[in-house]
Amino acid sequence: MLLVVFSLPGHADTVDWGEDRPHPRDPYESWNRKVFAFNETLDGWVLKPIARGYRAVTPGFVRKGVGNFFANLGEIPNFANNLLQAKPAAAGRDAVRFTLNTTVGVLGLFDPATSLGIRRSEEDFGQTLNTWGVPQGPYIVWPFIGGQTLSHTVSLPVDYYYLNPVRYAVDEPEIRYGLAALYAVHQRSELLDAEKLIRGDRYTFIRDAYLQRRSFLVNDGRMDSDPFLDDEDFFFDDDDFAY
């Protein structure tokens, strides 16, 4: 997520709100920082070492296949939420991607759909709620889960339980729990390199990167305004160009 956010319009620059000026979308910052510190300690002692070990012993092509497999499972909630957001064309692409990658891509281990130019969606039930007028809500850091907007948190049971195909396709709880653990470790391993991009206060950087990325997803990549076009004093004339 941190890598992607640097490619967004406006980048992931953080804003200095000042010590006496709380971030408008983070009204519980004092409490959030305490939970964030707890999560960071837990991550440093447990999940991060496991992720490093997983990355050290797992070849790159295997990790790629694991990532493709879980991304393919994510096409189901993408499809459902695009339908709920009244975006049938995007839902159709999700269906084609899932069918193609599940069959030709051998249960999603390979991603021929992307090679054919079929773009992947990134939708969840929180975005569906936002589409129909439910506000994103404040930024809250939860134990174990991390920082999310309230509407994003509400979407987790829908996307990861009710819309999770593993729940319906696999009867053995050991396999379901094993896949969930593998997903968590794989996702954490994918962030190891991205952490090197963090500058300044870690809490602030991660929060602002998440909120910018979240707004980008909710708005389907549309910018609310262009800071250059909106500035009446920002213009060029012939003298500004060299011939």
Side-chain angles (χ1 to χ4, degrees):
M1 184 271 289
L2 292 176
L3 287 171
V4 172
V5 83
F6 275 99
S7 66
L8 304 182
H11 309 290
D13 298 329
T14 57
V15 179
D16 182 10
W17 297 99
E19 295 182 359
D20 299 325
R21 296 180 58 197
H23 191 289
R25 297 184 63 185
D26 187 7
Y28 312 113
E29 181 174 348
S30 178
W31 169 258
N32 284 343
R33 283 184 177 272
K34 294 181 177 66
V35 180
F36 178 81
F38 167 78
N39 288 343
E40 287 283 284
T41 301
L42 185 66
D43 176 70
W45 281 97
V46 181
L47 191 54
K48 191 172 184 178
I50 295 176
R52 285 174 171 167
Y54 163 80
R55 189 164 185 172
V57 302
T58 308
F61 72 91
V62 175
R63 297 198 305 273
K64 179 68 172 177
V66 170
N68 288 339
F69 174 79
F70 286 115
N72 190 52
L73 295 180
E75 300 295 352
I76 302 299
N78 286 339
F79 170 79
N81 283 295
N82 271 320
L83 281 183
L84 292 173
Q85 294 172 38
K87 297 189 291 189
R93 288 196 301 269
D94 299 332
V96 171
R97 280 186 57 88
F98 181 76
T99 302
L100 187 60
N101 287 349
T102 302
T103 55
V104 179
V106 192
L107 298 178
L109 294 176
F110 302 95
D111 185 11
T114 296
S115 300
L116 294 174
I118 306 175
R119 181 170 52 87
R120 183 175 186 270
S121 301
E122 292 187 57
E123 303 292 339
D124 55 56
F125 190 66
Q127 295 176 57
T128 299
L129 294 175
N130 303 146
T131 296
W132 298 111
V134 177
Q136 293 191 53
Y139 178 78
I140 303 175
V141 181
W142 304 97
F144 309 108
I145 297 175
Q148 295 180 334
T149 58
L150 185 58
S151 62
H152 191 187
T153 302
V154 170
S155 76
L156 296 183
V158 176
D159 294 315
Y160 288 96
Y161 185 74
Y162 292 106
L163 295 179
N164 184 358
V166 174
R167 175 173 176 252
Y168 305 99
V170 179
D171 294 329
E172 296 79 3
E174 295 82 3
I175 297 178
R176 293 201 300 268
Y177 297 146
L179 287 173
L182 176 60
Y183 175 77
V185 172
H186 176 80
Q187 291 295 95
R188 184 62 184 88
S189 72
E190 293 294 286
L191 292 174
L192 292 175
D193 289 336
E195 286 184 300
K196 300 175 183 177
L197 299 173
I198 296 177
R199 296 291 183 270
D201 178 58
R202 186 177 176 86
Y203 171 86
T204 301
F205 188 100
I206 292 175
R207 178 197 63 195
D208 291 355
Y210 167 83
L211 289 175
Q212 184 172 359
R213 174 65 174 163
R214 190 66 188 168
S215 295
F216 180 85
L217 293 175
V218 169
N219 294 318
D220 289 332
R222 296 187 300 271
M223 293 183 65
D224 293 332
S225 62
D226 190 315
F228 295 106
L229 296 179
D230 293 343
D231 188 349
E232 296 180 355
D233 296 327
F234 187 86
F235 63 90
F236 293 110
D237 57 32
D238 290 342
D239 294 335
D240 294 317
F241 296 91
Y243 296 94

